[in-house]
Amino acid sequence: GAVVSQHPSWVICKSGTSVKIECRSLDFQATTMFWYRQFPKQSLMLMATSNEGSKATYEQGVEKDKFLINHASLTLSTLTVTSAHPEDSSFYICSARDSLRETQYFGPGTRLLVL
Amino acid sequence: GENVEQHPSTLSVQEGDSAVIKCTYSDSASNYFPWYKQELGKRPQLIIDIRSNVGEKKDQRIAVTLNKTAKHFSLHITETQPEDSAVYFCAAGPTNSGYALNFGKGTSLLVTP
C-alpha cells in the first residue's frame, strides 16, 4: 500500500503552547487528507477534511480556530493545536486519499500529551 | 449523516476458528466499505475493502460481503491465528464531508492459541 508519514510521533508540551503535526504522503499525491482523533479504546473521530489549496472543512463541534489546518502542497498537510490544554491530549492520526486507488491510507499517528 | 454500527464490540475465538464482524450503515449513498486492522498504539491498516458494485470479495483468509439492500457488510476471517488479534474497524463512505469515512466503534478480536 501507499506510504503516509506523520511527524512527530509523540509530543509532550505545557498547557497553553501550540503544537504542529505534519502529515505527508510519500509516494502519491493527495489532494485530500483527513485528520482524526482517537481516545484510548475508542474509534476514530473525524476532525476535519483538508483540501489542497483551499480551506479545510471541519466537523461539527471542532473549533477551527483551535485546530488550524494547512494543506499547502499535494503531499503535505499540517495540523496545529493552538493553546493546547490537557483535554487536547489524544492520539491524532491523519490519512491521505490516493485518488488513483480511491483509497485512504493512514499515517502512524501522533500521541500528544499536554501537561 | 452516516451512522455506522459495528458488532460485536469484543470477540474471542480459538486459533483455527472463524471470526465474523458485522456492520450496518444508514446512508444509501455510501458506496465504499473498507476494513481496517489496528494493533495497539499503531496506525489502522487497510486489510480489505469492497465497493457497492460487488457483493463479495476475498483475499486469502479474509473476505468481506456486502448487502446493499439491507445496508450491511461483514468481515470474515477464517483459520484465525494469534497474530490476527487486534481491533478491527469497519467504515463507510463517502460522507457529507466528501471522501471522509465514518467508522464503526471497533471490534476487539482475541485469538487464543
Side-chain angles (χ1 to χ4, degrees), chain B residues 29-101:
Chain B
S30 294
N31 59 14
Y32 177 59
F33 309 93
W35 286 88
Y36 290 88
K37 174 184 179 182
Q38 188 178 29
E39 297 176 2
L40 191 62
K42 297 189 176 181
R43 79 181 83 192
Q45 294 272 16
L46 178 70
I47 56 171
I48 196 167
D49 57 10
I50 192 167
R51 299 180 193 276
S52 60
N53 57 340
V54 176
E56 184 174 357
K57 184 176 177 181
K58 191 173 181 181
D59 182 4
Q60 299 183 331
R61 297 186 298 108
I62 295 173
V64 57
T65 58
L66 171 65
N67 183 327
K68 249 207 137 201
T69 303
K71 295 197 188 72
H72 65 70
F73 56 112
S74 301
L75 177 71
H76 304 252
I77 306 175
T78 58
E79 300 171 36
T80 54
Q81 302 165 2
E83 48 267 37
D84 293 330
S85 298
V87 178
Y88 291 80
F89 292 99
C90 65
T95 68
N96 291 334
S97 303
Y99 295 109
L101 297 170

Side-chain angles (χ1 to χ4, degrees), chain A residues 4 34 36 38 43 46 49 59 97 101-104 106-108 111, chain B residues 32 36 38 41 43-44 46 49 51 89 97 99-101 103-105:
Chain A
V4 176
F34 307 93
Y36 295 87
Q38 185 177 36
S43 189
L46 178 68
T49 300
E59 294 301 298
R97 185 176 185 271
R101 297 186 180 94
E102 294 187 310
T103 302
Q104 285 186 41
F106 282 89
R111 200 163 296 280
Chain B
Y32 177 59
Y36 290 88
Q38 188 178 29
R43 79 181 83 192
L46 178 70
D49 57 10
R51 299 180 193 276
F89 292 99
S97 303
Y99 295 109
L101 297 170
F103 285 83
K105 292 188 184 299

Side-chain angles (χ1 to χ4, degrees), chain B residues 6-28:
Chain B
Q6 183 172 347
H7 299 280
S9 56
T10 60
L11 179 59
S12 182
V13 300
Q14 285 205 314
E15 183 177 1
D17 289 349
S18 295
V20 180
I21 303 170
K22 298 182 179 182
C23 288
T24 60
Y25 63 99
S26 59
D27 190 347
S28 56

Side-chain angles (χ1 to χ4, degrees), chain A residues 58-76:
Chain A
Y58 290 81
E59 294 301 298
Q60 193 172 11
V62 178
E63 299 175 56
K64 61 179 67 176
D65 294 330
K66 181 170 181 62
F67 298 100
L68 301 178
I69 290 173
N70 184 277
H71 193 157
S73 79
L74 288 171
T75 59
L76 173 65

Side-chain angles (χ1 to χ4, degrees), chain A residues 74-92:
Chain A
L74 288 171
T75 59
L76 173 65
S77 175
T78 60
L79 169 69
T80 301
V81 183
T82 62
S83 187
H85 290 287
E87 57 266 30
D88 298 325
S89 299
S90 188
F91 191 47
Y92 292 87

